[in-house]
Amino acid sequence: MQNRVQKALDYVRSRSAGIPEAAVVLGSGLGAFADALEDRTVIPYGDIPGWPASTAPGHAGRLVFGKIAQKYVAVMQGRVHYYEGYSMEDVVFPVRVFASLGVKTYVATNAVGAVDHALSPGDVVLLYDHINWMGANPLRGPDTPEWNPRFPDMTRAYDRKLIEAAERAAEKEGILVRRGVYMAFSGPSFETPAEIRMARLLGATVVGMSTVPEVITANAMGMRVCGISCVANHGAGMTENTLTGKEVLEEMAKASGRLIRLLTRFFGEME
Ligand code: HPA
């Protein structure tokens, strides 16, 4: 694994104009943010040795370096998900590469289902904690002390200063945001109504099928993390509707302009 990360790292380093201030992963339907970068370098995932290729709909599969709000960032247009059949090692591979490159900040965006009754499609939730319900942990396996401690702390998995920067950005853009807890399911089936009720009882605000493995690994490797979720739908059973992946992408398409404004302003506010 170290060897595989090293090869990708050597390639990524050779293509980047310095160490990015942040690595950003764009969730379903948010790929257009990468088009807003200036002085872009676009690298298809397939060009990077060892990099897992994304197959999920709404994920382009490219790494884009460029500037946003005067900051040099690395943007992943698309991630691989555990539900696609990738190993946890694959899912967190990009995080391993960016942390090894010396990137200090990891920003995860994603589409989620609402669990909290107060949320509606299009709402933005800033993550302040998570529940890992995937039944797997990306750090399971032989100890890799050169990468991360055996038992990494997760008390503040989502950096408080970054949440505050996102809140300032939201206020300046006139976008309503709230804080919430992300509960990760492995998918790919949507949750049942009983699972959504369970999630609510356990303290979740939103549910999704990504992000948590990457957040665990990023924290373990000493990065600070920001999680920005966009509500695509009410959780199963909360309305009369049934759920489709198409509806998730349609809602994200509607919200993407607002999210891109928020992200852009966030990088202006980020210190
Ligand atoms: N559940 C899990 N993941 C999701 C959902 C959902 O309802 N909507 C978007 N991603």
Side-chain angles (χ1 to χ4, degrees):
M1 185 59 181
Q2 267 92 341
N3 196 23
R4 180 178 160 204
V5 167
Q6 187 62 46
K7 285 192 178 127
L9 176 61
D10 291 343
Y11 181 82
V12 166
R13 193 183 269 134
S14 76
R15 298 292 308 271
S16 89
I19 298 172
E21 288 190 51
V24 191
V25 60
L26 301 175
S28 310
L30 299 179
F33 174 73
D35 304 331
L37 300 187
E38 289 163 36
D39 303 331
R40 299 189 308 149
T41 304
V42 178
I43 309 168
Y45 287 160
D47 289 1
I48 311 172
W51 198 279
S54 163
T55 65
H59 290 258
R62 311 190 300 179
L63 172 60
V64 183
F65 289 108
K67 278 196 161 171
I68 190 89
Q70 323 292 343
K71 292 194 170 74
Y72 187 60
V73 297
V75 177
M76 282 168 273
Q77 269 181 316
R79 57 156 65 84
V80 301
H81 302 82
Y82 192 51
Y83 66 70
E84 293 175 81
Y86 289 99
S87 64
M88 277 291 174
E89 211 170 83
D90 281 332
V91 170
V92 303
F93 184 85
V95 177
R96 295 285 195 199
V97 172
F98 285 120
S100 303
L101 181 63
V103 178
K104 298 278 183 266
T105 303
Y106 184 74
V107 181
T109 65
N110 52 49
V112 290
V115 169
D116 190 312
H117 285 292
L119 290 171
S120 307
D123 286 349
V124 179
V125 177
L126 304 175
L127 304 184
Y128 75 87
D129 207 345
H130 71 227
I131 299 171
N132 180 10
W133 199 261
M134 287 184 151
N137 189 297
L139 306 180
R140 177 173 176 271
D143 195 13
T144 50
E146 63 285 18
W147 268 347
N148 52 268
R150 179 75 288 191
F151 304 109
D153 180 57
M154 292 288 142
T155 308
R156 285 189 195 83
Y158 300 84
D159 185 82
R160 297 307 189 248
K161 287 218 160 67
L162 293 178
I163 293 175
E164 286 164 13
E167 285 171 342
R168 283 197 304 278
E171 189 168 351
K172 287 184 179 168
E173 289 294 330
I175 297 167
L176 204 65
V177 294
R178 48 165 294 186
R179 297 185 183 190
V181 175
Y182 181 107
M183 186 161 178
F185 287 78
S186 72
S189 54
F190 284 111
E191 300 72 31
T192 62
E195 286 165 346
I196 294 296
R197 287 195 300 275
M198 172 192 74
R200 191 178 304 119
L201 268 173
L202 295 182
T205 315
V206 294
V207 289
M209 305 176 192
S210 67
T211 303
V212 161
E214 297 101 295
V215 170
I216 290 172
T217 306
N219 270 277
M221 294 186 79
M223 298 172 99
R224 54 182 197 158
V225 171
C226 186
I228 303 177
S229 293
C230 181
V231 174
N233 54 278
H234 288 103
M238 290 173 69
T239 69
E240 292 302 310
N241 301 346
T242 56
L243 302 178
T244 64
K246 186 163 162 274
E247 171 199 340
V248 169
L249 290 182
E250 283 167 4
E251 281 301 327
M252 294 303 286
K254 277 194 236 165
S256 73
R258 207 153 20 100
L259 275 160
I260 288 167
R261 272 198 293 126
L262 177 62
L263 267 181
T264 306
R265 188 68 90 145
F266 168 78
F267 285 108
E269 294 291 326
M270 186 186 92
E271 280 163 0

